[in-house]
Amino acid sequence: MARNEEKAQSMLNRFIALKAEEKRKPKERRPYLASECRDLAEADKWRQQIMREIGRKVAEIQNEGLGEHRLRDLNDEINKLIREKSHWERRIVELGGSNYAKHAPKMTDLEGNIVDVPNPSGRGPGYRYFGAAKKLPGVRELFEKPPELRKRRTRYDIYKRIDASYYGYRDDEDGVLERVEGPAEAKIRAEAEEEWRRVEEIRREARRGAKEVVSVGAAVREVLLRKRRNVVEEERRERRGEEKERMEKEREFVVHVPLPDEKEIERMVVEKKKMELLSKYASEGLLEEQSEAKDMLNIHR
């Protein structure tokens, strides 16, 4: 180390460094207005210079320990350089160069999602936040998205997603369903055939039994018909005998007492009703007087 310092401090080395500085051109200053530049190469050079400054400041603003005020100042300086870069890019396009603004990077939030840059004026790239400046008080809320309300799907939205696959018309196209259903279909077919054979066997046995029952049933039916005919004949003979006995009794009946006619029956009914009314509304004394009067007049009605 000591030897290197001695070389740097030697008279020859200082002389050589001085001559090199004399040969250099004086350091050019970037024009204040981009419109003052007339050369495309110069405009591209000043844009590259601004890009390097922006890169240095963006790397510096990543440090969260700089403090709130320093972070805000750095963020303001970066936005100022970005606005100046946009001026130079427009000037490059005017001079016939490439359009760098077309492929400019987008602004992202803390999770890396692309967000819109707030730009109330409508001109320029708008104000952006970089690095630790995104976590400053009042800035984090700008990147937080409001909770999305789940919109209820309408009937139109539901029907819009329905196609032939929904109704199962395309299930056989890939061949998977056929491979899966093949063994199950063969098993069900075998079970159905076995069940059919069993039912057919039962039906044949039932037909044979029915023929035997029919042959036996004919003889039984004939016997039953004969018995029923005999019972009907006996009932008829009994009914005829009862009618003969009743007619003989009617002929032998003789009336020995005179029977009242219809007028006599009506008179007796009226008399009975009259007596009931008199017993209901007349006193006993009045009834006795009435009976005495009838005896005196020799009235027995």
Side-chain angles (χ1 to χ4, degrees):
M1 289 296 293
R3 184 64 180 163
N4 293 334
E5 291 178 0
E6 289 176 2
K7 287 181 180 180
Q9 295 297 330
S10 63
M11 184 64 70
L12 180 59
N13 290 333
R14 284 185 290 175
F15 177 75
I16 292 172
L18 182 61
K19 286 296 183 181
E21 288 180 1
E22 289 178 356
K23 289 180 181 180
R24 284 179 190 169
K25 293 182 180 180
K27 188 175 181 180
E28 297 183 16
R29 188 172 181 179
R30 188 168 64 240
Y32 182 74
L33 297 176
S35 58
E36 296 177 358
C37 182
R38 307 294 180 183
D39 187 11
L40 179 61
E42 289 290 327
D44 201 359
K45 181 185 74 173
W46 298 129
R47 178 185 175 276
Q48 294 294 332
Q49 184 184 24
I50 294 171
M51 292 289 291
R52 287 192 293 272
E53 293 180 7
I54 291 173
R56 286 196 301 270
K57 292 184 181 295
V58 168
E60 184 180 359
I61 203 173
Q62 303 298 325
N63 186 6
E64 297 182 6
L66 295 177
E68 181 181 350
H69 298 288
R70 178 58 182 161
L71 290 174
R72 291 186 184 276
D73 293 341
L74 278 174
N75 202 75
D76 292 339
E77 293 172 5
I78 293 171
N79 279 277
K80 184 178 178 181
L81 290 171
I82 289 175
R83 286 195 298 272
E84 189 174 355
K85 179 175 73 71
S86 64
H87 296 326
W88 283 104
E89 287 174 352
R90 284 196 297 271
R91 184 58 181 168
I92 289 171
V93 173
E94 291 174 359
L95 295 175
S98 58
N99 188 4
Y100 295 103
K102 196 174 187 179
H103 307 287
K106 303 293 182 180
M107 185 178 179
T108 58
D109 56 7
L110 296 174
E111 286 78 18
N113 301 319
I114 297 175
V115 296
D116 296 331
V117 180
N119 184 16
S121 63
R123 295 177 297 174
Y127 194 86
R128 303 187 180 192
Y129 292 92
F130 300 89
K134 294 180 181 180
K135 300 180 182 180
L136 293 174
V139 180
R140 182 186 292 271
E141 290 78 5
L142 297 176
F143 295 97
E144 290 180 355
K145 295 181 180 180
E148 296 182 0
L149 297 176
R150 187 174 180 182
K151 186 179 179 181
R152 185 176 180 182
R153 292 192 301 171
T154 60
R155 189 179 294 273
Y156 171 76
D157 296 334
I158 295 173
Y159 285 145
K160 189 167 60 176
R161 293 181 174 87
I162 293 177
D163 54 2
S165 300
Y166 176 82
Y167 296 101
Y169 293 134
R170 297 178 182 172
D171 292 345
D172 300 334
E173 293 182 358
D174 53 0
V176 176
L177 189 62
E178 185 177 358
R179 292 195 300 271
V180 174
E181 291 184 350
E185 184 178 357
K187 182 180 178 182
I188 294 171
R189 188 184 296 275
E191 292 177 355
E193 290 178 356
E194 185 179 356
E195 181 68 17
W196 179 79
R197 292 193 184 94
R198 188 178 63 82
V199 172
E200 285 296 321
E201 185 66 24
I202 293 171
R203 286 179 179 174
R204 283 195 293 271
E205 293 178 358
R207 289 194 192 100
R208 288 197 295 269
K211 289 179 181 178
E212 296 175 357
V213 170
V214 168
S215 60
V216 174
V220 173
R221 191 180 302 109
E222 186 67 24
V223 173
L224 293 175
L225 287 174
R226 289 177 183 174
K227 289 184 177 180
R228 187 173 181 181
R229 288 171 186 169
N230 296 332
V231 171
V232 171
E233 290 294 334
E234 290 179 359
E235 289 180 355
R236 287 178 180 175
R237 285 195 294 269
E238 291 178 357
R239 194 177 300 112
R240 288 173 185 172
E242 291 177 356
E243 288 180 357
K244 288 180 180 180
E245 291 178 358
R246 183 171 57 79
M247 291 176 67
E248 290 176 357
K249 288 181 180 180
E250 288 180 355
R251 290 173 184 173
E252 295 176 355
F253 180 76
V254 179
V255 179
H256 300 283
V257 179
L259 296 176
D261 56 357
E262 293 181 1
K263 292 182 179 181
E264 187 68 21
I265 293 171
E266 290 180 1
R267 187 185 61 77
M268 292 173 66
V269 170
V270 172
E271 189 68 23
K272 186 176 181 181
K273 288 183 178 180
K274 189 185 295 183
M275 293 300 295
E276 289 178 357
L277 291 173
L278 288 173
S279 63
K280 186 175 180 180
Y281 295 103
S283 62
E284 294 180 357
L286 182 61
L287 291 175
E288 291 178 356
E289 291 178 358
Q290 187 177 2
S291 61
E292 291 177 358
K294 286 181 178 182
D295 292 338
M296 291 174 63
L297 294 175
N298 196 14
I299 298 173
H300 299 286
R301 292 183 179 182

